[in-house]
Amino acid sequence: MGWIIFRKETPPGSTDIRDLKNNKLVMFQHRHYFKIFPWLAFVLPVVIPGYFWGDWAGGVYYATLIRLTVVHHSIFCINSLAHWLGEAPFDDKHTPRNHLFTAVVTMGEGYHNFHHQFPVDYRNAIKWYQYDPTKWFIRASELLGLSTNLQTFPENEIKKGTLTMSLKKLRAEQDSIKWPLDSADLPVVDWDTFQKESETTPLILINGYIHDISGFEQKHPGGRTILTRHVGKDASSAFSGGVYGHSNAAHNLLAMMRVGILDGGVEHVKYVTPAERLRIVEQLKKDDVDPWSPITAK
């Protein structure tokens, strides 16, 4: 029954293990596994401390039972904690995660997101400060001539993974921000209508856009007067440096006050705020399957 429950519908693909089959030590262990493991796992850990130090109980409980329990639970954590705890800095298509705690209890395998994304790489962690004793052991073996042909994934492709995940996080944050209305969603107003509406609503024309500054007059750093004297007028020159070189934040805030476009001022409507220049947008085709492919910026 257990085999039926856990059996996969699709059989696993073949793997080239000729190098392992040509290794005499590995094949010796493979052939005699059931003869070797009782001695190494149970007998020797009990006999050595018992015979040399008289600590038979310590050999049973610490060197054998507790050791095996810790080791097996550490292995199990690779397919449990390492797929639940932490973050996915390289790819989130599947569930593996990176976390220091999991790395500590799994001898470095806790940087599991990297392992799944770049399985050919002998490392689990690529930063010098990340805990990965397995990587350090393999590297030391290479320095001693015991290991050769260590494989690493191209650095350029690793950077693509981290950049993609960074952009996805930024996109999620971007979607939580309110942006100015697109030009296509704004009404086109002629000059006379703009003038008439300005008599009851404080409207200012800047860069072809009509802005409603209601409620902002008292908050303006330059004072209320400098704003009110431009109501119903074109203040593009004053805003763009004639009076004061406004900051990027001022340009971004002003765009949120857009309520219309002046008829005949279409040539100015191409103006893009500093924040929108870096805004992440999707370029999708009808046959695109992945909604995140590709990502560009305005």
Side-chain angles (χ1 to χ4, degrees), residues 13-294:
S14 60
T15 303
D16 186 358
I17 57 172
R18 286 175 294 179
D19 55 337
L20 297 178
K21 289 184 175 181
N22 291 331
N23 188 299
K24 295 181 179 179
L25 178 60
V26 171
M27 295 311 299
F28 175 82
Q29 292 176 323
H30 178 69
R31 288 192 300 268
H32 304 286
Y33 174 78
F34 289 101
K35 298 177 182 177
I36 297 174
F37 94 83
W39 289 90
L40 297 181
F42 299 102
V43 178
L44 290 180
V46 174
V47 171
I48 292 177
Y51 179 79
F52 289 99
W53 302 290
D55 189 7
W56 294 95
V60 172
Y61 291 109
Y62 296 108
T64 304
L65 299 181
I66 292 181
R67 174 182 62 85
L68 289 175
T69 300
V70 171
V71 169
H72 279 83
H73 278 80
S74 174
I75 296 173
F76 300 152
C77 282
I78 297 175
N79 286 328
S80 57
L81 283 183
H83 285 259
W84 172 72
L85 183 64
E87 58 181 2
F90 302 100
D91 182 61
D92 62 354
K93 183 178 181 180
H94 300 298
T95 58
R97 298 288 184 265
N98 280 9
H99 198 280
L100 175 60
F101 176 78
T102 317
V104 172
V105 300
T106 60
M107 298 297 285
E109 191 68 27
Y111 294 103
H112 211 47
N113 190 252
F114 181 87
H115 166 75
H116 269 256
Q117 187 69 356
F118 313 110
V120 71
D121 204 303
Y122 80 94
R123 304 166 297 177
N124 287 303
I126 58 175
K127 303 296 184 181
W128 67 268
Y129 54 82
Q130 292 176 319
Y131 182 78
D132 188 3
T134 304
K135 172 188 67 178
W136 300 333
F137 177 81
I138 295 174
R139 179 74 176 106
S141 297
E142 182 189 42
L143 295 176
L144 295 174
L146 301 177
S147 301
T148 58
N149 197 28
L150 271 59
Q151 298 296 312
T152 58
F153 210 79
E155 183 67 22
N156 186 70
E157 305 311 306
I158 295 176
K159 289 181 178 180
K160 285 181 183 177
T162 56
L163 175 61
T164 299
M165 293 307 301
S166 296
L167 289 175
K168 293 184 76 171
K169 289 180 179 179
L170 289 174
R171 178 59 190 271
E173 183 176 353
Q174 173 183 283
D175 289 344
S176 68
I177 297 173
K178 187 176 180 180
W179 296 89
L181 291 174
D182 189 82
S183 300
D185 299 324
L186 293 172
V188 178
V189 180
D190 59 35
W191 179 259
D192 291 336
T193 303
F194 165 59
Q195 290 277 289
K196 184 177 180 180
E197 293 293 330
S198 297
E199 295 175 0
T200 57
T201 305
L203 302 177
I204 293 179
L205 178 67
I206 298 177
N207 295 326
Y209 287 102
I210 299 172
H211 303 83
D212 183 354
I213 62 170
S214 299
F216 183 69
E217 301 97 316
Q218 301 299 332
K219 300 178 182 179
H220 184 241
R224 182 175 185 275
T225 303
I226 196 171
L227 283 182
T228 56
R229 72 186 185 193
H230 285 94
V231 171
K233 301 178 182 179
D234 188 343
S236 300
S237 178
F239 182 82
S240 301
V243 176
Y244 178 75
H246 285 84
S247 65
N248 286 344
H251 283 267
N252 295 333
L253 178 60
L254 177 69
M256 299 303 297
M257 304 177 189
R258 296 173 183 170
V259 293
I261 298 173
L262 181 67
D263 187 18
V266 179
E267 64 274 14
H268 300 293
V269 175
K270 294 180 181 179
Y271 170 78
V272 180
T273 63
E276 288 181 296
R277 293 172 194 166
L278 298 177
R279 189 174 176 184
I280 302 171
V281 296
E282 298 172 5
Q283 299 291 340
L284 298 180
K285 298 178 181 178
K286 292 181 179 180
D287 57 345
D288 282 339
V289 176
D290 185 356
W292 259 92
S293 175

